[in-house]
Amino acid sequence: MGLFTRRSQDTLTATAPTAVDPALAALTGAYAIDPAHSSIGFTVRHAMVTNVRGSFDSFEGSLHLDGSDPARSTASIDVTIGSVNTGIADRDAHLLGSDFFDAELFPLMTFRSTRAAQLGGDAYRITGELTIKDVTRPLSIDLEFTGSAKDVYGNERVGFEGSAEILRSDWGLTWNAALEAGGVMVSDKVKLGFDISAIKQA
């Protein structure tokens, strides 16, 4: 069962009318992202031959889900730049400095949604504005609704997995170093990954 009513892939379109599933409509409401059971990660190519993976370990956010009309769903996330973690202290310090995030001057990365659309089945796309440092640009995130459940404490939860790709240079993160054999130390393309668990508030 998806957040948005599931129908045949042969007939599904983003704009076609659907019957509202009462169970899905019941998910409508405000949710707070649970950082203890969520993650925001990234992957970037290093030295042209391997990937470096990292995460941001401190963030907070809210969702408003509309199971009857997914286009009315919204999301807002604030990420603490100082929580970046690649497992290497020196590398993290470099990322926090002026070559990259300049975290002292710009402590937060933010996302504010502007549009949501059903893609089919459990999949949808949320589009919004991502701000890094003093640059705000559009970003679309493809998400899969992974289910809903009541946990052992009585909290109503929903889950999502998502991904997106950005060019870091679009946000002014342009530092690099040329390699002797050709190419650069750090790729411009960055893959983002999201695992989100959110608790219903109202």
Side-chain angles (χ1 to χ4, degrees), residues 97-149:
S98 58
D99 283 341
F100 286 96
F101 290 113
D102 206 353
E104 186 172 342
L105 289 178
F106 306 100
L108 289 179
M109 172 171 58
T110 65
F111 177 80
R112 301 290 184 266
S113 69
T114 56
R115 186 170 70 253
Q118 181 179 0
L119 301 180
D122 295 322
Y124 71 100
R125 178 172 294 143
I126 191 160
T127 300
E129 295 183 336
L130 176 67
T131 299
I132 304 175
K133 300 174 75 170
D134 58 349
V135 179
T136 300
R137 294 182 60 87
L139 173 68
S140 291
I141 303 172
D142 288 336
L143 291 166
E144 178 185 0
F145 173 62
T146 55
S148 63

Side-chain angles (χ1 to χ4, degrees), residues 3 27 29-39 59-65 74-77 124 145-151 154-161 195-202:
L3 176 60
L27 297 178
Y31 292 77
I33 294 175
D34 176 10
H37 296 95
S38 304
S39 64
F59 52 88
E60 60 183 20
S62 60
L63 311 174
H64 176 79
L65 303 183
T74 61
S76 175
I77 302 176
Y124 71 100
F145 173 62
T146 55
S148 63
K150 182 173 289 189
D151 66 23
N155 298 311
E156 295 185 40
R157 291 181 178 267
V158 293
F160 300 89
E161 294 179 358
D195 282 293
I196 301 297
S197 178
I199 298 173
K200 195 170 189 178
Q201 307 295 295

